[in-house]
């Protein structure tokens, strides 16, 4: 539901000056009327324009060669008041209430997608709204996390966490959660959703009891890690001296993730959105049916494309890091460069998340309010916004593009920090930029394709 | 920032110019000279500071050349798309 949407766009000119106009068309008939608008430009030109915009912005960023300017821009900050202990406690208590009632209403409220509070809370309020706040404002999840509140109330066995696992369990858990979301009707079936939330809560609390809450939520829990990473993009940053206001993305160049495992997590965060969209294209339907025709089980086809695609994304990014080392004539290891450049991808992931979810959040927020006021007997036809204006599709494309432009800039600032030579820094970004261009074109292709229901799976 | 706290790996047969303050190796002397001025501005000797300033200025000439090429590529991209849209997006 909330995560499957197609954009239709008409492009009229190039790059940053590009004026987008288009219509976002939801595929879920119950969510939005099937407004269709054909592309006014051929698809290949549309894709090339997106890639060209990213490439051109790399060239434009490379014109900024004043080190002091780059550093001052990223060092700018203002102090913000920190909310008091009472406010944070009350917020956390409220979050626990929301979690428990979500699970409860998921089981007992009407078994209909848009009349069940669990579906609306999870997909509209939390996945759409709250997650957007982690990169648009700041990551409040450590303060709110209701599962952590439950785990903190329990004693811990404090068993040692196997250090060699690093962040890999969270990579696996993220891939597993999104896998469940793609192959099951998680956005349509309240009972199933409540079950998944319940299982997640039990597993998480159990894990936190075994290795200690701090360790579990720092290393293993995929949601805490994802929101922490998204939070690096946000303007409000938590430091030892309280909250700080910074420019969006300004914290990213100084954010080095700590190893291959964490690089893999960032790439996974980016990849899962692409996969979610890719399985709903006509090309995938053809591939899946053809491969299934020779007797391969559908689940295996989906799983193969999922893991294969992830490895491909990871491989492309590692190749870019190796190429950066070679072109910059640097002795920094490719692993180090991958760790430094990975945070720039978070800006892209944030842009995609916003583009994919903002429309549903706006359309369904009246529904959420109406159903929340009487969850057990919601209105037969809960209200929703009649529609979004035609330019909204252009706005969604703009979010995708802004994410990429921010990423290009962050890579530029990161390279300036990592290499002493300024031309070295520019050359190090050739491959990273190429990967970003290819990624933009892939994503734009996916959003410009008409929605085709993924074959063999029930959604 | 993190200019000294880095992971490096020098190929076995390659020569390395090693920073005497933090031990970070560089493939060329000019990178080492620039690094000393950027990462250790409070520690460098007067001679090293002069060398850094010279290297920074010399780098500017290379950057100017790069800018001309980059501008050329931008112009090609711009007009390329302009013509492509004129022809194909009727």
């Amino acid at each position: 539901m909330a995560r499957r949407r197609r954009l239709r766009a008409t492009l009229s000119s190039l790059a940053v000056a590009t004026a987008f106009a288009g219509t976002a068309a939801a595929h879920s008939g119950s969510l939005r009327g099937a407004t269709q608008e054909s592309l006014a430009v051929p698809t290949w030109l549309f894709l090339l324009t997106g890639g060209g915009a990213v490439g051109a912005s790399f060239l434009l960023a490379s014109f900024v060669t004043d080190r002091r300017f780059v550093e001052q821009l990223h060092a700018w900050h203002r102090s913000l008041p920190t909310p008091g202990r009472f406010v944070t406690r009350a917020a956390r208590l409220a979050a626990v209430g929301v979690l428990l009632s979500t699970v409860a209403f998921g089981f007992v409220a009407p078994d209909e997608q848009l009349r069940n509070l669990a579906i609306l809370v999870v997909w509209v309020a939390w996945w759409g709204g709250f997650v957007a706040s982690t990169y648009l404002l700041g990551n409040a999840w450590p303060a709110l996390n209701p599962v952590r509140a439950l785990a903190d109330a329990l004693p811990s066995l404090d068993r040692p966490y196997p250090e060699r696992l690093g962040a890999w369990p969270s990579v696996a858990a993220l891939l597993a959660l999104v896998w469940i979301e793609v192959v099951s009707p998680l956005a349509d079936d309240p009972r199933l959703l409540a079950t998944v939330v319940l299982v997640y809560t039990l597993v998480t609390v159990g894990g936190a009891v075994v290795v200690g809450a701090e360790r579990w939520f720092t290393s293993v829990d995929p949601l805490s890690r994802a929101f922490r990473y998204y939070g690096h993009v946000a303007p409000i940053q938590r430091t030892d001296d309280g909250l700080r206001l910074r420019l969006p993305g300004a914290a990213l160049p100084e954010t080095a993730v700590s190893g291959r495992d964490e690089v893999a997590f960032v790439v996974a965060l980016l990849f899962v959105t692409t996969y979610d969209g890719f399985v709903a294209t006509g090309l995938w339907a053809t591939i899946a049916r053809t491969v299934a025709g020779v007797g391969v089980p559908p689940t295996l086809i989906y799983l193969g494309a999922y893991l294969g695609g992830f490895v491909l994304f990871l491989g492309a990014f590692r190749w870019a890091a190796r190429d950066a080392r070679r072109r910059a004539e640097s002795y920094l290891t490719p692993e180090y460069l991958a760790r430094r450049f990975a945070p720039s991808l978070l800006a892209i992931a944030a842009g995609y998340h916003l583009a994919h979810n903002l429309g549903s959040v706006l359309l369904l927020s009246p529904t959420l309010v109406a159903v929340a006021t009487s969850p057990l007997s919601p209105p037969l036809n809960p209200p929703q916004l009649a529609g979004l204006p035609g330019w909204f599709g252009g706005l969604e494309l703009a979010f995708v593009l802004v994410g990429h432009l921010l990423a290009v800039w962050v890579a530029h600032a990161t390279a300036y920090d990592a290499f002493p030579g300024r031309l070295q820094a520019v050359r190090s970004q050739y491959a990273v930029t190429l990967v970003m261009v290819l990624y933009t074109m892939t994503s734009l292709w996916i959003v410009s394709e008409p929605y085709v229901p993924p074959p063999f799976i029930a959604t | 920032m993190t200019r000294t706290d880095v992971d490096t790996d020098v190929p076995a047969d390659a020569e390395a110019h090693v920073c005497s303050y933090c031990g970070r190796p560089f493939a060329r002397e000019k990178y080492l000279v620039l690094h000393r001025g950027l990462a250790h501005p409070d520690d460098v000797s007067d001679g090293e500071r002069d060398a850094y300033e010279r290297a920074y200025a010399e780098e500017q000439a290379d950057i100017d050349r790069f800018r001309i090429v980059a501008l050329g590529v931008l112009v090609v991209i711009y007009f390329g798309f302009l013509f492509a849209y004129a022809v194909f997006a009727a």
Side-chain angles (χ1 to χ4, degrees), chain A residues 1 5 13 21 33 169 184 191 202 204 213 226 243 265 268 340 370 379 393-394 402 411 418 426 434 456:
Chain A
M1 176 192 74
R5 202 148 4 83
S13 73
S184 75
R191 310 290 187 254
L202 292 177
T204 305
L243 297 181
F265 190 88
R340 288 304 304 272
V402 167
V426 169
L434 181 68
F456 310 117

Side-chain angles (χ1 to χ4, degrees), chain A residues 57-103:
Chain A
S57 59
F58 158 71
L59 290 173
L60 287 171
S62 73
F63 277 78
V64 183
T65 54
D66 184 345
R67 280 185 179 276
R68 218 169 311 154
F69 173 75
V70 176
E71 280 169 20
Q72 277 171 0
L73 204 63
H74 285 266
W76 183 90
H77 68 270
R78 294 279 177 275
S79 290
L80 291 174
T82 309
R85 193 173 284 259
F86 175 75
V87 177
T88 38
R89 285 227 171 144
R92 195 176 247 208
L93 208 61
V96 173
V98 170
L99 173 68
L100 298 180
S101 52
T102 299
V103 173

Side-chain angles (χ1 to χ4, degrees), chain A residues 134-139 224-238 246-257 262 266 343-344 346-347 350 406 410:
Chain A
T134 62
Y135 52 79
L136 292 178
L137 297 171
N139 177 22
S224 298
R225 187 182 290 280
F227 298 156
R228 190 162 72 238
Y229 287 0
Y230 272 145
H232 292 311
V233 183
I236 300 176
Q237 297 289 324
R238 211 169 71 165
R246 301 185 63 172
L247 295 174
L252 289 173
E254 70 210 45
T255 311
V257 296
E262 299 198 352
V266 173
S344 64
L346 292 169
L406 191 58
V410 168

Side-chain angles (χ1 to χ4, degrees), chain A residues 403-442:
Chain A
H404 277 280
L405 298 186
L406 191 58
V408 166
W409 173 261
V410 168
H412 181 68
T414 305
Y416 262 47
D417 190 52
F419 301 107
R422 288 173 288 168
L423 267 186
Q424 242 190 323
V426 169
R427 290 196 187 114
S428 75
Q429 292 165 72
Y430 288 166
V432 176
T433 307
L434 181 68
V435 169
M436 285 183 186
V437 166
L438 290 177
Y439 189 66
T440 312
M441 293 174 67
T442 309

Side-chain angles (χ1 to χ4, degrees), chain A residues 171-356:
Chain A
V171 178
L174 178 75
L175 290 174
L177 276 180
V178 175
W179 172 254
I180 293 170
E181 193 270 335
V182 170
V183 299
S184 75
L186 205 57
D188 309 283
D189 183 345
R191 310 290 187 254
L192 178 67
L193 180 65
T195 311
V196 169
V197 174
L198 190 63
V199 170
Y200 166 78
T201 305
L202 292 177
V203 169
T204 305
V205 170
V209 165
V210 174
V211 298
E214 184 60 36
R215 194 68 229 222
W216 181 269
F217 287 99
T218 313
S219 298
V220 186
D221 183 44
L223 300 179
S224 298
R225 187 182 290 280
F227 298 156
R228 190 162 72 238
Y229 287 0
Y230 272 145
H232 292 311
V233 183
I236 300 176
Q237 297 289 324
R238 211 169 71 165
T239 67
D240 294 338
D241 313 322
L243 297 181
R244 270 188 176 177
L245 182 68
R246 301 185 63 172
L247 295 174
L252 289 173
E254 70 210 45
T255 311
V257 296
S258 76
R260 278 167 180 240
D261 44 350
E262 299 198 352
V263 171
F265 190 88
V266 173
V267 173
L269 211 51
L270 202 60
F271 168 72
V272 290
T273 319
T274 312
Y275 180 79
D276 193 22
F278 179 66
V279 295
T281 61
L283 178 67
W284 171 252
T286 313
I287 294 174
R289 289 214 174 85
T290 312
V291 178
V294 297
V296 184
T299 313
L300 207 62
I301 303 172
Y302 274 86
L303 196 61
Y306 192 51
L307 299 178
F310 175 58
V311 169
L312 190 73
F313 266 54
L314 203 55
F317 188 66
R318 285 199 182 150
W319 166 79
R322 277 197 303 277
D323 188 79
R325 168 181 154 105
R326 191 174 58 79
R327 276 186 209 278
E329 302 177 314
S330 173
Y331 288 153
L332 298 174
T333 61
E335 283 76 26
Y336 175 80
L337 290 170
R339 278 163 39 204
R340 288 304 304 272
F341 282 115
S344 64
L345 300 178
L346 292 169
I348 300 178
Y352 282 118
H353 181 272
L354 194 60
H356 278 268

Side-chain angles (χ1 to χ4, degrees), chain B residues 5-88:
Chain B
D5 178 22
V6 296
D7 297 341
T8 54
D9 161 33
V10 182
D13 53 344
E15 64 165 336
H17 304 269
V18 179
C19 175
S20 55
Y21 299 101
C22 65
R24 178 171 163 184
F26 293 92
R28 290 174 188 274
E29 190 174 2
K30 68 173 177 183
Y31 298 147
L32 170 61
V33 170
L34 287 166
H35 160 81
R36 274 199 300 247
L38 288 165
H40 311 287
D42 301 327
D43 303 327
V44 289
S45 68
D46 289 345
E48 285 169 340
R49 191 185 309 278
D50 289 345
Y52 163 69
E53 279 163 10
R54 266 199 312 280
Y56 198 84
E58 275 169 27
E59 198 185 17
Q60 194 59 48
D62 293 335
I63 288 175
D64 289 342
R65 266 197 300 281
F66 173 81
R67 277 181 174 168
I68 292 169
V69 176
L71 191 64
V73 176
L74 276 173
V75 168
V76 169
I77 292 177
Y78 178 79
F79 282 100
F81 276 110
L82 198 65
F83 286 123
Y85 273 85
V87 173
F88 297 104

